[in-house]
Amino acid sequence: MESKEKGMFHDWSVRNIGNYMYHSANKNTKSYFVQHNSNKSIVEYGFETIMDFDTELRCMWERDVYMEEIVKTVAVSTMKNYKRKVVRTEKEVVLDEFIYTF
Amino acid sequence: MYILGVSALYHDSAATLIKDGEIIAAAQEERFTRIKHDWHMPEQAIKYCLEEGNITSTDLDAVVFYDNPLKTLDRYMKNILAAGEDSKDVIEHSFDMMFSERLWVHKKVEALLGINPIRKFLVCEHHISHAASAFYPSPYESAVILTLDGVGEWATTTISVGRKEHIQIKEEMHFPHSLGLFYSAFTYFCGFKVNSGDYKFMGLAPYGEPVYEDIIRENILDIKEDGSFEMNLEYFDYQYGRTMTNKKMEELFGGKRREPESEITKREMDIAASVQRITEDIIFRMVRHAKREYGSAIDNLVLAGGVALNCVANGKLKRSGIFKNIWIQPAAGDAGGSLGCALYAAYQYYGLKRDVKSGDSQKGSYLGPRFSHKEIKEFLDKSGYIYQELGEDIHKKVAEVLADGMVVGLFQGRMEFGPRALGNRSIIADARSESMQVKLNQKIKFRESFRPFAPSVLRENVAEYFELDDDSPYMLLVADVCRNRRNEFGLHENLKKYNGNMLEVVRQKRSDIPAVTHVDYSARIQTVTEETNPYYYKVIKEFKKLTGCSVIVNTSFNVRGEPIVCKPQEAYECFMRTDMDILVLEDFILKKEDQPEWKETEDWQERYRLD
């Protein structure tokens, strides 16, 4: 991914900070457990075109108005960055030893 | 119906093939590529699974990925929104992989298997994959399911109920609050690596005292009665794509994190003890809550997710009796997700009927490649290695050399699926030897002196040696050595006496099976039965005939940092590079002194960097 694209994501996050906060319950609550909110735990997956993917994103974020601004950037970046073939460079082969990958 | 499950693109990639709900084959990619925790698409593991099933990719009805990339993208994007100005590092560290690999997983699979419009490509939620891996292979018609790991898409913990073919998640906790990440953060703080050091950190805990427990509870965690919790994120940096903990954590614990490979001090021992105690408390609260809410008519608990590899907590759960029965997926980490998502597709997507077995359906977790007598003979002959072929006498011979104090590399049957070697790709030795723990750590595994070794014991004799009278076939339960076998041993007096030198401490004999008795008298037990592993059972049975002892040491067949051996060539290389005395490949036995001079062709210690 080009630095310019990374910069766009960063700028967006700075501009929109506060629109999303990690889930945090009232300390007086009895439980931090939340309900599972998906009824589709297994689904068909796949897209071919930017239009397909854009539709998927809009569907996923239809209730998150603050995501509207970034949909196009995400869709374009996804298309631009697809690597047909992974070349296993030395840098890529081994996971970072002290940064958790998730 | 053939379904291929795939886990990949994070860490510990793997593939599993199932046929009509039966597990045919499963293997981790690292075993083939020799890259520890290999994260790439499991090309070679898939190839192996298809070969084992005697099918080609055109026979597959579906391929299932163990994680939903879109939902993970949602977390990534919202995580940077929460971070704002601080999002730079997480974008730098994670976004390339997300946009170039994970979102394109369907194309990655196509590239490996070819385009097939009939074959479905499905994605399954990460924690459902874990839950399915724990429930479906278990011997239970119904069970409460607890999954605990770092993070899936959003979930970090789930409590579900499984009934026959159905799994329903009831409650969950979300990122960034995570027991797996909490544990990994302290693993990192104590100088161990985040993807491979958790079990070392757990092994360190008995050396310490939980003196930091209150500090952690007061400053870092808010734990509810039901085990759910929130973390004080001021002490952590993982959410920003940086190291697990930050400067504030160092201030709380009075100094910098331990440098990797530097001396382990009392502080690290005490932190490990404190974190282990809190982890157990959280798990116990969750399990009691799950029993109260969902288990009034269910006596069975199943577990998966990386935290379920915490065999100390598992052993205590077992003894607690909160649930009468417990089954833990042996490939509890992400590799096992490949198994879970395939089974979930079979039962919940395609509606197959589940056949519940009285034992379990995991087949001993011996799900990997096997090498035939002919293949091994050809390899040995071609290489010019010196061997004897013993046929049915092999078990007795192995027992004899064990009784003589020799260390044996044992390679037989199908490779294990999951992080534990269970007698098919194992280094074995005499558990009665006082010097064996130090010898194995220093001269064979090249690993830290404090680390304990696990016992394999005949199932029918387990209660004579350990405070456990139950099955533990996957080495996932810890129990104490029986009191009548213990020696007087004061851990903290010894630590003081030897100025914290753990090497000297572990030299002190703690029981009549010292090589497998940890400093708190605990042991991570594997029970062995004739039905599940007849070869290994016969070896231990013959050892018992010779010595009266039904217990041997079992450690994985590798050196520190190396994936467990998969092929005969790798077994031979490991044998020659270490102080192992004997190599056994099925019914072939090789003595070190008979072998031609070993010439290294690579810097293997550089290749297998310390884990």
Side-chain angles (χ1 to χ4, degrees):
Chain A
M1 182 181 279
E2 290 173 6
S3 316
K4 193 177 151 192
E5 288 171 275
K6 288 178 180 168
M8 285 165 73
F9 285 121
H10 180 253
D11 292 347
W12 170 76
S13 71
V14 173
R15 276 199 312 278
N16 289 279
I17 188 167
N19 276 329
Y20 174 80
M21 308 285 274
Y22 299 128
H23 173 78
S24 182
N26 182 330
K27 296 281 177 215
N28 297 322
T29 187
K30 277 179 74 178
S31 175
Y32 290 124
F33 280 124
V34 295
Q35 298 300 306
H36 184 65
N37 60 6
S38 166
N39 53 5
K40 285 189 176 171
S41 294
I42 188 164
V43 291
E44 285 191 50
Y45 180 85
F47 54 88
E48 295 290 334
T49 67
I50 191 164
M51 289 301 289
D52 292 345
F53 191 56
D54 189 274
T55 306
E56 294 268 13
L57 292 176
R58 286 182 195 284
C59 181
M60 178 167 72
W61 288 327
E62 65 184 345
R63 290 183 191 163
D64 303 325
V65 183
Y66 54 90
M67 300 302 285
E68 171 68 28
E69 189 192 327
I70 202 70
V71 169
K72 201 172 159 192
T73 311
V74 171
V76 170
S77 272
T78 303
M79 291 296 151
K80 268 178 68 179
N81 285 286
Y82 173 41
K83 286 185 199 160
R84 261 165 233 291
K85 199 163 184 184
V86 179
V87 181
R88 294 188 177 201
T89 63
E90 192 54 37
K91 190 185 164 204
E92 279 182 316
V93 165
V94 183
L95 289 169
D96 192 301
E97 293 162 344
F98 295 105
I99 297 179
Y100 199 91
T101 302
F102 50 81
Chain B
M1 167 174 280
Y2 286 102
I3 301 174
L4 181 73
V6 172
S7 58
L9 307 180
Y10 293 87
H11 44 81
D12 300 291
S13 69
T16 298
L17 179 69
I18 63 168
K19 180 187 180 188
D20 302 328
E22 182 192 352
I23 307 166
I24 301 297
Q28 291 133 279
E29 184 72 356
E30 66 163 26
R31 306 289 169 87
F32 301 96
T33 62
R34 316 304 298 155
I35 298 167
K36 193 96 169 162
H37 307 298
D38 196 343
W39 56 265
H40 294 84
M41 287 299 289
E43 188 175 350
Q44 295 190 57
I46 290 173
K47 183 169 173 278
Y48 155 68
C49 284
L50 296 179
E51 281 170 7
E52 186 69 40
N54 201 21
I55 61 169
T56 67
S57 61
T58 54
D59 298 311
L60 290 170
D61 295 280
V63 178
V64 194
F65 189 62
Y66 84 129
D67 188 278
N68 185 324
L70 266 182
K71 291 186 179 180
T72 305
L73 173 70
D74 181 51
R75 167 165 59 82
Y76 273 42
M77 298 307 294
K78 289 175 180 170
N79 187 39
I80 66 168
L81 268 189
E85 191 63 56
D86 234 342
S87 65
K88 233 174 203 151
D89 291 330
V90 74
I91 292 170
E92 190 59 46
H93 182 254
S94 311
F95 273 42
D96 273 318
M97 180 69 104
M98 172 54 77
F99 284 83
S100 65
E101 300 276 340
R102 291 176 192 146
L103 288 166
W104 290 102
V105 63
H106 54 303
K107 291 289 175 190
K108 303 281 166 193
V109 167
E110 262 183 16
L112 289 179
L113 299 177
I115 296 170
N116 180 351
I118 299 165
R119 184 181 64 224
K120 290 219 187 263
F121 182 75
L122 306 167
V123 296
C124 185
E125 285 178 12
H126 188 103
H127 273 260
I128 280 283
S129 298
H130 279 317
S133 78
F135 177 58
Y136 292 130
S138 80
Y140 312 134
E141 294 259 350
S142 61
V144 170
I145 309 166
L146 180 62
T147 66
L148 298 144
D149 75 352
V151 61
E153 295 85 4
W154 276 104
T156 61
T157 297
T158 63
I159 298 174
S160 313
V161 173
R163 291 183 202 281
K164 207 68 195 288
E165 291 87 13
H166 300 285
I167 292 175
Q168 189 182 10
I169 296 182
K170 299 287 188 183
E171 294 173 278
E172 59 190 25
M173 276 174 51
H174 282 179
F175 179 84
H177 308 292
S178 159
L179 189 55
L181 292 175
F182 166 78
Y183 203 88
S184 271
F186 282 98
T187 298
Y188 163 81
F189 190 77
C190 289
F192 302 110
K193 294 180 182 175
V194 294
N195 281 308
S196 57
D198 288 346
Y199 56 94
K200 297 184 194 180
F201 189 58
M202 183 180 71
L204 186 62
Y207 289 91
E209 295 165 284
V211 296
Y212 294 109
E213 187 180 353
D214 290 344
I215 290 177
I216 295 171
R217 286 179 190 274
E218 283 160 21
N219 294 278
I220 295 177
L221 289 175
D222 180 27
I223 308 170
K224 299 298 181 191
E225 186 54 39
D226 62 6
S228 63
F229 62 90
E230 282 200 352
M231 296 160 74
N232 182 349
L233 297 172
E234 291 173 12
Y235 291 91
F236 302 92
D237 262 9
Y238 59 80
Q239 65 276 28
Y240 305 126
R242 299 195 283 263
T243 52
M244 298 299 291
T245 59
N246 58 24
K247 219 173 163 49
K248 199 169 160 82
M249 186 74 92
E250 294 181 346
E251 285 162 12
L252 187 65
F253 287 96
K256 287 191 174 302
R257 69 178 275 259
R258 171 182 164 256
E259 279 301 313
E261 304 307 316
S262 66
E263 188 192 349
I264 294 171
T265 68
K266 187 166 186 320
R267 182 184 74 152
E268 285 78 51
M269 297 175 199
D270 290 343
I271 290 174
S274 307
V275 169
Q276 180 64 30
R277 170 127 13 143
I278 291 169
T279 301
E280 289 168 13
D281 177 43
I282 288 171
I283 294 172
F284 265 73
R285 286 176 190 233
M286 286 181 180
V287 169
R288 278 194 292 262
H289 164 71
K291 178 70 181 168
R292 263 194 316 269
E293 293 296 318
Y294 314 110
S296 57
I298 301 176
D299 273 336
N300 311 312
L301 174 72
V302 297
L303 300 163
V307 180
L309 293 170
N310 193 311
C311 44
V312 177
N314 296 343
K316 289 181 181 175
L317 265 184
K318 176 77 195 166
R319 288 190 292 282
S320 76
I322 301 170
F323 282 88
K324 192 173 164 195
N325 307 304
I326 295 182
W327 194 86
I328 304 148
Q329 166 55 240
D334 275 10
S338 65
L339 172 61
C341 67
L343 290 171
Y344 192 76
Y347 297 121
Q348 295 259 120
Y349 190 85
Y350 288 106
L352 298 190
K353 292 287 161 215
R354 178 172 169 238
D355 179 23
V356 181
K357 296 229 162 59
S358 60
D360 66 37
S361 310
Q362 186 78 14
K363 299 183 173 176
S365 222
Y366 303 112
L367 300 168
R370 171 203 298 276
F371 293 84
S372 67
H373 180 90
K374 185 169 169 251
E375 285 171 309
I376 294 172
K377 190 171 171 53
E378 277 174 9
F379 156 72
L380 292 172
D381 288 338
K382 195 177 158 195
S383 308
Y385 300 148
I386 311 301
Y387 62 87
Q388 277 183 286
E389 190 179 337
L390 293 184
E392 273 305 303
D393 291 335
I394 189 68
H395 315 103
K396 196 173 169 197
K397 183 66 185 173
V398 174
E400 282 171 7
V401 296
L402 287 175
D404 285 343
M406 294 188 189
V407 177
V408 177
L410 177 60
F411 181 106
Q412 56 99 12
R414 294 183 71 178
M415 184 177 71
E416 299 87 345
F417 182 51
R420 303 278 91 88
L422 300 169
N424 288 12
R425 300 290 186 278
S426 291
I427 297 170
I428 56 176
D430 187 345
R432 302 167 305 157
S433 164
E434 286 181 49
S435 57
M436 195 55 78
Q437 182 180 3
V438 173
K439 181 180 177 183
L440 285 172
N441 269 331
Q442 290 191 331
K443 296 189 171 177
I444 290 162
K445 303 282 285 191
F446 303 117
R447 65 183 208 184
E448 301 90 336
S449 59
F450 71 87
R451 292 174 59 188
F453 287 100
S456 294
V457 56
L458 299 178
R459 169 64 185 92
E460 61 268 29
N461 298 134
V462 64
E464 295 167 30
Y465 292 87
F466 305 101
E467 292 180 348
L468 175 82
D469 194 5
D470 210 334
D471 297 325
S472 179
Y474 303 119
M475 214 184 258
L476 285 167
L477 297 178
V478 161
D480 286 344
V481 171
C482 289
R483 286 181 187 278
N484 62 341
R485 295 189 172 274
R486 297 182 199 171
N487 290 5
E488 278 296 318
F489 171 76
L491 170 63
H492 298 293
E493 292 82 345
N494 272 295
L495 277 169
K496 203 173 262 179
K497 180 178 170 187
Y498 295 109
N499 207 17
N501 184 335
M502 290 186 284
L503 179 60
E504 290 305 322
V505 172
V506 299
R507 284 189 204 277
Q508 309 306 309
K509 191 176 175 183
R510 299 175 291 282
S511 76
D512 63 354
I513 42 172
V516 294
T517 306
H518 202 8
V519 291
D520 59 350
Y521 297 114
S522 69
R524 190 181 69 201
I525 299 159
Q526 179 199 6
T527 54
V528 181
T529 62
E530 189 161 23
E531 297 73 41
T532 310
N533 195 336
Y535 184 118
Y536 196 38
Y537 180 86
K538 280 181 198 163
V539 167
I540 305 175
K541 190 89 177 167
E542 290 291 341
F543 183 74
K544 186 187 176 189
K545 277 188 204 166
L546 288 173
T547 64
C549 178
S550 314
V551 182
I552 61 172
V553 182
N554 175 8
T555 185
S556 52
F557 199 151
N558 60 350
V559 293
R560 185 179 167 191
E562 179 191 17
I564 295 174
V565 300
C566 175
K567 298 172 183 165
Q569 175 68 38
E570 291 145 12
Y572 188 84
E573 286 169 4
C574 189
F575 168 60
M576 293 306 290
R577 286 166 177 165
T578 64
D579 264 7
M580 251 182 274
D581 303 296
I582 300 285
L583 173 64
V584 174
L585 304 166
E586 293 290 350
D587 65 336
F588 298 94
I589 190 163
L590 292 83
K591 292 181 189 162
K592 178 69 72 56
E593 69 259 27
D594 294 343
Q595 299 311 306
E597 190 188 348
W598 177 248
K599 288 179 186 151
E600 278 298 342
T601 52
E602 61 172 340
D603 184 353
W604 64 275
Q605 281 165 318
E606 173 59 27
R607 182 173 166 202
Y608 300 129
R609 280 181 274 186
L610 296 180
D611 64 7

